[in-house]
Amino acid sequence: GDYIFAFPGYNTDEFYRYSISGNTWVARSSPSQPFYYGASMTYVPNGAYCSDASGCLFAMRGSNTHQFLRYDIGGNIWTNMTPTPFWIAYGGTIIYHDGYLYAQRGGAGDDFFRYDIANGLWDYLADRPGTKNYGSSNSMVYDSNTDIIYDLRGYNEYSFYSYDVTN
């Protein structure tokens, strides 16, 4: 697509859409609460999980809260979703793959969870081999060739972890 969505973070409720082709920023509707440390969001392209085929964004608010939100791109509307089963702090991150969102809370925690978008349920997956610290929000990537999620550990660590979503 042509757009990039961003929030400044650090206790602000501002939310923007950037047009790559137009080289312009436009303010969009604000969430009910501000984003803060540990906030993270991911794009879900499937209109079946969103209000229309434009897709939507799912976001964890951060700020040591459980708040979990969906932003419908076409409708420019924020909706509160099933809260995360863990508080989100520095290093919180979330990504999408095949109907699920994979998330970790950060804050020196080792928890790793999955959200079933269709059913609105969180499932505990496994403890990571080490803690997830600050300095590494939005650090997960999914490799579609191998079905593996890779994640940086953060906090001056040079290690990363992998998680096989099929096993």
Side-chain angles (χ1 to χ4, degrees):
D2 183 51
Y3 299 116
I4 297 173
F5 293 87
F7 49 84
Y10 198 70
N11 211 25
T12 63
D13 65 356
E14 299 168 19
F15 185 63
Y16 298 95
R17 180 182 72 190
Y18 176 74
S19 169
I20 298 167
S21 63
N23 192 28
T24 55
W25 287 96
V26 176
R28 303 298 284 168
S29 68
S30 297
S32 59
Q33 297 290 319
F35 293 108
Y36 204 59
Y37 294 123
S40 179
M41 69 179 164
T42 191
Y43 173 69
V44 175
N46 190 338
Y49 302 123
C50 310
S51 66
D52 61 37
S54 300
C56 55
L57 302 169
F58 283 85
M60 299 185 302
R61 183 176 157 238
S63 191
N64 293 326
T65 70
H66 297 259
Q67 192 172 15
F68 181 55
L69 307 152
R70 181 185 69 215
Y71 174 75
D72 286 305
I73 295 170
N76 192 29
I77 297 170
W78 288 97
T79 305
N80 284 311
M81 304 301 288
T82 305
T84 61
F86 46 91
W87 48 268
I88 308 298
Y90 285 107
T93 187
I94 189 168
I95 62 168
Y96 169 76
H97 168 64
D98 198 25
Y100 295 97
L101 300 169
Y102 294 85
Q104 52 199 326
R105 69 175 182 94
D110 61 2
D111 307 307
F112 191 56
F113 289 82
R114 179 176 74 178
Y115 181 75
D116 181 336
I117 298 172
N119 296 309
L121 298 173
W122 287 98
D123 292 315
Y124 175 77
L125 293 177
D127 285 341
R128 294 161 32 94
T131 59
K132 173 74 170 189
N133 293 297
Y134 66 88
S136 54
S137 287
N138 297 323
S139 63
M140 287 194 294
V141 295
Y142 170 74
D143 181 349
S144 60
N145 294 318
T146 62
D147 280 337
I148 293 177
I149 294 171
Y150 294 95
D151 182 38
L152 296 173
R153 185 169 176 196
Y155 194 63
N156 295 321
E157 294 285 336
Y158 297 102
S159 57
F160 67 91
Y161 303 116
S162 63
Y163 179 81
D164 185 339
V165 299
T166 59
N167 296 314

